[in-house]
Amino acid sequence: QILEAVKSVKTKVQVDDSVTDEMWIKVYGVLYMQEPELFWLTSAKVVKGKLWYWETDPELIASMQKDITAKASEVLAQAEGKDTFGKLKVFHDYICLNNDFVKEEGFNQTIYGGFVKGTIQCEGYAKTMQYLCDMAGIESMVIVGSNEANDTHAWNVVKVDGEWYNLDCTWDDPILDPVDTDFIRYYYFLAADSDISGVTHFPDNSYFTYPICSSGENYYKREGYYAES
């Protein structure tokens, strides 16, 4: 019901008394994070039965979607013919090299920020990756939680060759002084839980049980950029 309401830009959803506030928050939270194509939807307020939007004009939303589709199609074309690892690297590199981290700005939590404006925060990074994975048929999801400073954070888990991995474009796109627009890192590209979970990344498991990421075949192992001694 929420999904259909958002597609029609409706501001209310009829729910009966059996739906508690806690149920609404959980269902809304999952839909809001896992359906990145709904870029006009906001989570600024979460109240049972009510919806708020970044934009409500259907014609403007359609125009913005055209801009998103055009840019996403370019990225997907660059990944054409590559295996899952290769596609994810194309997506990761595009997102990191074409966006700046901005904490407070319209659409910075959305794929419109990630593909068109070039200014996003962690949620925008994760949703842009999720959108590309959805388009490419790669199993993935957005994970929400916090960092070691207890600030809210979002990243992805992705499935490669039957194994789940963490992938965090936000933290692979460092803020440098002086600025280096060509610099990119891969610390958080296909990371295992043992590398980050409970160390730098603290997932919130209240929405659903996240897949376990136990493989050590990260970027450095796959590319041969490591030493055994």
Side-chain angles (χ1 to χ4, degrees), residues 34-54:
Q34 307 305 328
E35 302 290 344
E37 70 275 14
L38 307 176
F39 61 89
W40 57 97
L41 179 66
T42 179
S43 65
K45 293 182 181 179
V46 181
V47 178
K48 186 174 72 174
K50 295 183 180 181
L51 300 170
W52 284 268
Y53 302 100
W54 290 105

Side-chain angles (χ1 to χ4, degrees), residues 5-114:
V6 175
K7 288 179 178 179
S8 302
V9 202
K10 294 179 179 177
T11 57
K12 293 182 180 180
V13 175
Q14 293 298 321
V15 291
D16 59 39
D17 292 338
S18 67
V19 178
T20 65
D21 289 342
E22 183 180 4
M23 289 166 61
W24 175 271
I25 290 168
K26 179 178 283 191
V27 173
Y28 177 85
V30 170
L31 179 136
Y32 174 74
M33 297 304 299
Q34 307 305 328
E35 302 290 344
E37 70 275 14
L38 307 176
F39 61 89
W40 57 97
L41 179 66
T42 179
S43 65
K45 293 182 181 179
V46 181
V47 178
K48 186 174 72 174
K50 295 183 180 181
L51 300 170
W52 284 268
Y53 302 100
W54 290 105
E55 180 54 60
T56 57
D57 182 343
E59 290 188 7
L60 183 53
I61 290 171
S63 176
M64 294 168 74
Q65 180 61 62
K66 284 184 180 179
D67 293 337
I68 290 169
T69 300
K71 185 55 67 174
S73 296
E74 292 178 13
V75 182
L76 290 165
Q78 294 174 29
E80 187 70 30
K82 297 181 182 293
D83 61 8
T84 301
F85 171 80
K87 288 176 181 177
L88 288 170
K89 186 175 182 298
V90 169
F91 302 162
H92 170 274
D93 293 0
Y94 168 80
I95 294 168
C96 292
L97 294 175
N98 290 276
N99 285 282
D100 294 321
F101 183 91
V102 176
K103 215 166 189 181
E104 300 293 337
E105 187 172 295
F107 293 100
N108 68 335
Q109 301 171 20
T110 73
I111 60 171
Y112 187 74

Side-chain angles (χ1 to χ4, degrees), residues 120-189:
I120 46 179
Q121 45 103 302
C122 57
E123 191 176 304
Y125 281 92
K127 285 184 174 180
T128 304
M129 173 59 73
Q130 179 73 21
Y131 185 81
L132 288 168
C133 285
D134 286 347
M135 295 297 101
I138 298 172
E139 281 192 77
S140 62
M141 61 189 72
V142 176
I143 305 300
V144 296
S146 59
N147 60 22
E148 72 272 30
N150 205 33
D151 296 322
T152 57
H153 191 43
W155 63 99
N156 301 88
V157 291
V158 296
K159 200 171 191 179
V160 183
D161 301 331
E163 297 281 353
W164 287 97
Y165 298 85
N166 293 282
L167 197 164
D168 189 344
C169 289
T170 308
W171 283 22
D172 274 346
D173 184 15
I175 299 171
L176 302 175
D177 186 12
V179 174
D180 184 349
T181 57
D182 295 323
F183 181 78
I184 189 170
R185 61 186 178 193
Y186 298 91
Y187 297 167
Y188 303 96
F189 184 73

Side-chain angles (χ1 to χ4, degrees), residues 85 92 172 183-191 195 216-227:
F85 171 80
H92 170 274
D172 274 346
F183 181 78
I184 189 170
R185 61 186 178 193
Y186 298 91
Y187 297 167
Y188 303 96
F189 184 73
L190 307 189
D195 294 328
E217 290 297 308
N218 58 27
Y219 169 81
Y220 300 103
K221 281 289 185 71
R222 288 172 178 269
E223 296 290 75
Y225 298 145
Y226 70 99

